[in-house]
Amino acid sequence: MRFTSLSAVIGLLSITSASPILDTRATPTNSTAPCAAVSSAYFAQTNPVPTVPAQIAYDCIKSVPLNVTSAKKLLGDIRPYINWQSTLAFLKNPPAEYKQKVQDAVDIIAGLDDIEAKVNSGAFTGEYDFGFALYQLVQSAHDGHFSLVPDSVGAIFNFGRTVPLVSVSEDGLKVPAVFAYADVLGQHFKNISYTPSAIVKIDGKDAATFLEDWSQWGSLQDRDALYNNVFYELAQVSLGTSGSGTGTFTGGGRGRWAWPGATTTFTFANGTSRTIDNYARVLVSMRGIDSGEKLQNTYFYYANAGQAAGGNIQAVPGVEAASSAAVATAAAAATPTPESPPGYPPIVVQGPLNLINGYYVDSPDYEDVAVLSVPNFVGNEAAEIPFQETTQNFVAKALKDGKKKLIVDVSANGGGTILQGYDLFKQLFPSILPYGATRFRAHEAADLVGQSFSALASKYPRTLHTINSTVLDVQSSYFDYHTDADVNYEPFTSWPEKYSPRVYNGDNYTGIARWNLSDVLITYNSGGINITGYGPRSNFTQQPFDAADIVIVYDGYCASTCTIFSELMRQQAGVKAIAMGGRANAAAIQAVGGVKGTNNYQWGYIQSLAQEAVMLAAPEEAERYNTSVLKDYYSDTPFSRAAVAPGVNVRDGLREGDDSGTPLQFRYEEADCRLYYTSEMTVDVTEIWKGVADAQWGGKGKCVPYGPQGYREKRDVTRTLGGSGLRKRGVADAKVFEALEKTFSIETENKLSGDGFMLP
Ligand SMILES: *[C@@H]1O[C@H](CO)[C@@H](O)[C@H](O)[C@H]1NC(C)=O
Ligand SMILES: *[C@@H]1O[C@H](CO)[C@@H](O)[C@H](O)[C@H]1NC(C)=O
Ligand SMILES: *[C@@H]1O[C@H](CO)[C@@H](O)[C@H](O)[C@H]1NC(C)=O
Ligand SMILES: *[C@@H]1O[C@H](CO)[C@@H](O)[C@H](O)[C@H]1NC(C)=O
Ligand SMILES: *[C@@H]1O[C@H](CO)[C@@H](O)[C@H](O)[C@H]1NC(C)=O
Ligand SMILES: *[C@@H]1O[C@H](CO)[C@@H](O)[C@H](O)[C@H]1NC(C)=O
Ligand SMILES: *[C@@H]1O[C@H](CO)[C@@H](O)[C@H](O)[C@H]1NC(C)=O
Ligand SMILES: *[C@@H]1O[C@H](CO)[C@@H](O)[C@H](O)[C@H]1NC(C)=O
Ligand SMILES: *[C@@H]1O[C@H](CO)[C@@H](O)[C@H](O)[C@H]1NC(C)=O
Ligand SMILES: *[C@@H]1O[C@H](CO)[C@@H](O)[C@H](O)[C@H]1NC(C)=O
């Protein structure tokens, strides 16, 4: 629990008293041995994950000297993994519209060369400056699957701010402004005696500009989606520590790895201004750590052996699919959570771990509306079958209860098991064959793994009943050509046919592969489910809702498997997309703002592929493989020097009928409608669904009118919080308030995983 969070809420709410608000912690004393200061602050408290003032943690981590030998080795050893990143060429030379509206170009390879030159010239003063340069380079790809968090950046401290914010429109029509979420809670649940005022400046800078700049630390590519992710959001909060917490501004998601400064100063529209101390969470024991050198000797694993001794990554993942999901939380999946997540209505059909739930909108005007809330596509093995059953049971119940319309809410959905995305689509549109084209970057290591795996796999019958699990792993991987169908949904006949490189944008890519949904090994890749429409589920032939009676609502976070699902729903079924929130303007925005790559590999899995390709080769071939590029995958330095399991995006998604070879990641696609968040929507998710139903079916929606250039000339800007003010529903609201207030302490911890998942 974050140690000042509750005082932050109470402070803001009791502003009528003249006492200082938000944070009353004493300012740290400057120390020439900043790690000693952290150590004493650390031992002065009892929290399970202690927090200390941000400044002393920053000074401490900055005081760790650079190990040049290790830095050079690390830079060399990560390159073989970066080779697998499918979008290197498109990042370097993206389409003009992507550059104009989404993100700048970045040359990852040149960036690595540059960092290497700086190491050689002594330009980095310590581990942190070096580590952060590396982090920032990879982060600037804005690809949620591509991440490298060096030890210095993420293994010792995470940073945060104690004041969650929201960006809301007064009436759903005026351009949104930024407010402290505690003020929203005060307005809705407490009898506050002041009028909440918008935050107009942060650290002296225009608030919207400050937050747009800050938002770039997030994992998404789209700027409006990144802006949304700065803020408190019920859907993210519903995922607990597996989501991006209370937003990147407070250090949720990847916000925890960015330095927020020692303090943050808010200036409100009413002229008041407040300064809070920022904090750092201390992730390691500071016992006896009194200097940067001591910290270095204790927690920087320079020798490969460090990994075995418990390097910074909790577990080196060896498995591609959802089976790499946190086993620790598996048990939890068996017992369904008894209560709705904070701000959600009663659950009608309950799914596992709040990854999926069915709801109704309990209000006379919305009696025919059912809502399938899907904030994740499963990264937990025990949840796979219950996840599939939730849609099945909810759709059946909704139809029985006379529901005619379906809202699919994918807010906060960073992905999960790829085939759950296909399955959900097939449950809604059983007669459509999903297109879902994917391809890898074609490079020597991938080719060699394919040769070795395809040769081994071909010696055994393709059956789930193989007793040899190694064979099953190989046969169910991409690298056995028997896996997947070709672009025409026909089987491949050889590995060279599947690999068959072709050139786009100056780089080499494999041929198109599509998931074979009736593969006998499908349950091995799906975490255990058969896909609806195939095998024992081929009797699902009835489409439950017309496409026009379904709408998808997004908060922009939709990434990975969520984008696969979204592409099928929008392109193949013609379902409309409504995007919430966005920056403080009246322009059109995209619905999907997260990585549209269709498969992430953790580097640990790539390492095991390379090593197995050698080990499993026929004896007379082993030497050839072991002296090839595959020899570059033996070092464990990339793992022992990482704070979380590093990953790459290995597969591009491609649109049907597009011969340009441009990955979906680099296509800009507007939503059919944009709705602003209102303050009610940030405390009661039903308000979002009502707004969506109004826009899609009610003929009275508040879609932002775009005008000829995508901009309407002039819109009024939000000045007050708006909303219905103090609610008078009594006890129930006191419980909601309490539940929402508790969520202030949520910190991102990554408990979920998946083969199509973006780590928050
Ligand atoms: C604070 O500490 C740093 C070393 O960590 C030192 O360089 C600086 O001069 C100190 N500042 C003050 C005001 O004492
Ligand atoms: C620096 O890293 C190398 C490994 O690359 C290791 O052998 C050496 O002990 C490290 N030096 C220090 C001071 O930790
Ligand atoms: C709110 O507080 C004011 C005084 O500050 C009081 O007059 C009013 O009755 C209160 N309203 C509710 C609903 O408690
Ligand atoms: C100004 O607005 C802030 C933020 O809502 C609030 O905390 C403060 O009490 C307000 N000041 C006055 C004088 O009303
Ligand atoms: C499984 O098959 C692999 C590849 O042929 C072989 O190396 C391994 O020994 C087999 N394991 C068992 C338990 O049979
Ligand atoms: C693409 O493949 C060709 C043929 O193997 C090779 O010569 C070229 O270097 C490759 N291009 C890149 C960017 O790797
Ligand atoms: C899918 O896999 C099954 C065997 O696992 C095979 O019989 C079938 O031909 C494959 N379909 C396609 C389209 O590749
Ligand atoms: C999936 O289908 C196969 C046969 O096609 C069957 O053996 C297996 O039990 C099914 N799995 C589930 C979870 O229904
Ligand atoms: C399909 O068949 C299974 C039994 O094999 C049954 O449980 C299920 O309800 C059926 N589903 C539909 C949509 O008919
Ligand atoms: C491959 O080479 C490494 C050394 O680079 C060696 O340790 C390993 O035993 C070799 N494996 C095989 C199967 O030859």
Side-chain angles (χ1 to χ4, degrees):
M1 144 101 68
R2 200 183 276 180
F3 82 101
T4 52
S5 55
L6 289 183
S7 67
V9 180
I10 289 149
L12 268 175
L13 297 180
S14 57
I15 192 61
T16 39
S17 72
S19 63
I21 61 151
L22 301 168
D23 197 330
T24 52
R25 198 168 28 205
T27 344
T29 49
N30 193 10
S31 164
T32 44
C35 289
V38 172
S39 193
S40 29
Y42 173 90
F43 282 107
Q45 55 187 293
T46 54
N47 300 308
V49 180
T51 60
V52 299
Q55 184 69 57
I56 56 171
Y58 188 64
D59 291 343
C60 169
I61 196 72
K62 293 268 281 186
S63 73
V64 175
L66 180 68
N67 182 332
V68 173
T69 315
S70 181
K72 286 183 185 168
K73 179 158 169 52
L74 180 64
L75 285 168
D77 292 353
I78 64 177
R79 287 184 191 251
Y81 297 94
I82 286 174
N83 250 338
W84 290 73
Q85 173 64 30
S86 63
T87 58
L88 293 173
F90 284 87
L91 284 168
K92 181 176 171 186
N93 181 30
E97 191 179 27
Y98 175 92
K99 254 203 300 207
Q100 186 204 333
K101 297 182 180 166
V102 186
Q103 293 289 342
D104 286 338
V106 53
D107 185 339
I108 297 292
I109 303 301
L112 286 175
D113 294 344
D114 182 52
I115 292 173
E116 199 153 0
K118 284 190 173 134
V119 169
N120 288 329
S121 70
F124 293 116
T125 53
E127 285 292 357
Y128 184 80
D129 287 352
F130 162 68
F132 201 79
L134 197 49
Y135 173 72
Q136 195 171 4
L137 174 66
V138 174
Q139 164 65 15
S140 65
H142 283 281
D143 177 328
H145 285 162
F146 188 21
S147 75
L148 176 59
V149 187
D151 39 17
S152 60
V153 176
I156 316 293
F157 304 116
N158 284 343
F159 294 111
R161 295 183 175 96
T162 53
V163 181
L165 307 178
V166 290
S167 167
V168 294
S169 165
E170 199 173 319
D171 56 0
L173 294 169
K174 290 181 181 168
V175 169
V178 178
F179 292 86
Y181 188 56
D183 276 352
V184 173
L185 292 183
Q187 165 117 347
H188 283 290
F189 299 101
K190 294 268 153 170
N191 193 10
I192 51 172
S193 54
Y194 63 95
T195 306
S197 182
I199 294 169
V200 292
K201 284 188 176 166
I202 299 177
D203 289 348
K205 216 169 158 185
D206 168 66
T209 309
F210 179 98
L211 295 172
E212 278 182 39
D213 291 348
W214 179 265
S215 76
Q216 290 289 320
W217 294 119
S219 57
L220 312 165
Q221 68 274 7
D222 177 76
R223 289 172 186 268
D224 293 290
L226 282 163
Y227 195 69
N228 284 347
N229 197 216
V230 163
F231 302 107
Y232 183 98
E233 195 206 354
L234 293 172
Q236 287 287 359
V237 163
S238 79
L239 292 171
T241 55
S242 299
S244 57
T246 55
T248 60
F249 181 73
T250 50
R254 294 191 186 177
R256 66 199 191 277
W257 298 316
W259 162 237
T263 60
T264 305
T265 298
F266 300 102
T267 308
F268 297 95
N270 64 10
T272 307
S273 104
R274 303 287 175 196
T275 297
I276 55 160
D277 283 344
N278 300 327
Y279 68 92
R281 304 173 76 209
V282 185
L283 306 177
V284 297
S285 168
M286 292 301 286
R287 187 169 298 279
I289 306 296
D290 55 7
S291 68
E293 286 78 8
K294 202 63 173 282
L295 188 69
Q296 178 176 46
N297 292 337
T298 315
Y299 294 117
F300 284 68
Y301 302 111
Y302 294 124
N304 279 345
Q307 193 197 356
N312 290 319
I313 305 168
Q314 277 120 21
V316 176
V319 189
E320 165 187 12
S323 42
S324 64
V327 181
T329 51
T335 17
T337 30
E339 278 183 36
S340 302
Y344 280 70
I347 296 170
V348 175
V349 170
Q350 181 157 41
L353 299 167
N354 288 331
L355 305 180
I356 185 169
N357 284 321
Y359 299 95
Y360 294 156
V361 180
D362 181 20
S363 175
D365 291 344
Y366 306 91
E367 264 165 2
D368 62 350
V369 178
V371 182
L372 187 64
S373 162
V374 196
N376 188 266
F377 274 107
V378 195
N380 180 315
E381 248 180 318
E384 300 279 3
I385 288 176
F387 184 92
Q388 180 185 47
E389 284 170 356
T390 306
T391 302
Q392 186 178 330
N393 296 339
F394 180 62
V395 163
K397 179 165 171 54
L399 293 177
K400 203 167 119 253
D401 291 346
K403 306 297 169 189
K404 301 275 185 313
K405 319 277 191 208
L406 179 69
I407 295 171
V408 182
D409 186 343
V410 294
S411 297
N413 195 319
T417 302
I418 293 169
L419 289 165
Q420 289 281 5
Y422 281 82
D423 182 77
L424 181 53
F425 173 72
K426 290 291 288 183
Q427 290 205 48
L428 296 174
F429 295 99
S431 63
I432 302 179
L433 173 66
Y435 181 65
T438 73
R439 67 166 186 219
F440 274 64
R441 178 164 188 265
H443 57 103
E444 198 182 347
D447 188 15
L448 290 168
V449 174
Q451 290 175 26
S452 173
F453 277 29
S454 288
L456 177 79
S458 301
K459 290 188 201 152
Y460 297 86
R462 190 173 180 82
T463 162
L464 264 183
H465 307 297
T466 306
I467 28 171
N468 186 324
S469 66
T470 304
V471 170
L472 207 48
D473 279 340
V474 167
Q475 286 184 323
S476 60
S477 79
Y478 169 82
F479 300 94
D480 173 5
Y481 73 84
H482 300 91
T483 303
D484 300 322
D486 70 8
V487 64
N488 301 312
Y489 211 66
E490 299 289 339
F492 291 107
T493 57
S494 68
W495 170 255
E497 189 199 341
K498 186 172 186 179
Y499 183 69
S500 68
R502 57 213 65 192
V503 178
Y504 295 104
N505 208 353
D507 204 358
N508 300 319
Y509 299 91
T510 67
I512 283 173
R514 298 168 62 185
W515 286 93
N516 175 357
L517 302 173
S518 58
D519 188 347
V520 293
L521 300 187
I522 202 76
T523 52
Y524 209 72
N525 275 320
S526 68
I529 61 162
N530 285 301
I531 310 303
T532 299
Y534 301 93
R537 296 177 68 83
S538 51
N539 61 340
F540 286 74
T541 52
Q542 189 95 37
Q543 182 178 318
F545 297 95
D546 283 346
D549 290 331
I550 304 178
V551 67
I552 315 179
V553 57
Y554 299 80
D555 63 358
Y557 196 82
C558 180
S560 197
T561 296
C562 180
T563 74
I564 298 175
F565 169 72
S566 183
E567 175 78 1
L568 300 175
M569 292 288 282
R570 293 176 74 187
Q571 293 297 317
Q572 290 193 253
V575 172
K576 294 279 187 274
I578 295 185
M580 303 300 303
R583 284 171 286 176
N585 64 31
I589 62 174
Q590 299 198 94
V592 173
V595 58
K596 298 182 201 167
T598 59
N599 205 173
N600 58 304
Y601 277 0
Q602 292 184 343
W603 294 7
Y605 178 64
I606 294 176
Q607 185 184 47
S608 73
L609 287 175
Q611 295 184 4
E612 279 178 17
V614 175
M615 268 179 331
L616 298 174
E620 65 277 13
E621 295 255 59
E623 178 71 8
R624 171 171 76 89
Y625 285 114
N626 211 17
T627 50
S628 72
V629 292
L630 297 181
K631 71 180 181 316
D632 300 337
Y633 295 86
Y634 287 104
S635 164
D636 286 330
T637 302
F639 307 100
S640 59
R641 300 276 339 253
V644 295
V648 281
N649 182 69
V650 290
R651 286 194 212 224
D652 295 329
L654 299 160
R655 174 141 320 152
E656 188 165 15
D658 175 10
D659 299 324
S660 73
T662 308
L664 287 171
Q665 172 76 358
F666 295 89
R667 293 183 70 130
Y668 177 82
E669 308 163 82
E670 284 170 6
D672 298 296
C673 162
R674 171 186 184 182
L675 297 177
Y676 295 139
Y677 284 112
T678 62
S679 71
E680 286 100 328
M681 292 176 182
T682 69
V683 296
D684 179 359
V685 75
T686 303
E687 294 298 322
I688 297 177
W689 301 335
K690 287 181 184 169
V692 165
D694 288 347
Q696 179 69 9
W697 301 298
K700 54 176 177 175
K702 294 180 172 174
C703 296
V704 175
Y706 305 134
Q709 259 77 47
Y711 287 88
R712 210 184 96 162
E713 286 81 86
K714 193 95 181 108
R715 290 208 131 210
D716 286 344
V717 174
T718 294
R719 306 210 179 279
T720 70
L721 203 42
S724 52
L726 179 64
R727 295 170 176 216
K728 291 172 184 159
R729 279 187 280 142
V731 179
D733 267 1
K735 276 177 83 178
V736 175
F737 173 70
E738 212 173 279
L740 291 170
E741 199 190 33
K742 262 196 196 143
T743 64
F744 278 48
S745 62
I746 294 175
E747 302 274 5
T748 300
E749 305 266 9
N750 294 338
K751 293 272 161 52
L752 298 171
S753 180
D755 50 7
F757 187 68
M758 168 179 77
L759 288 175

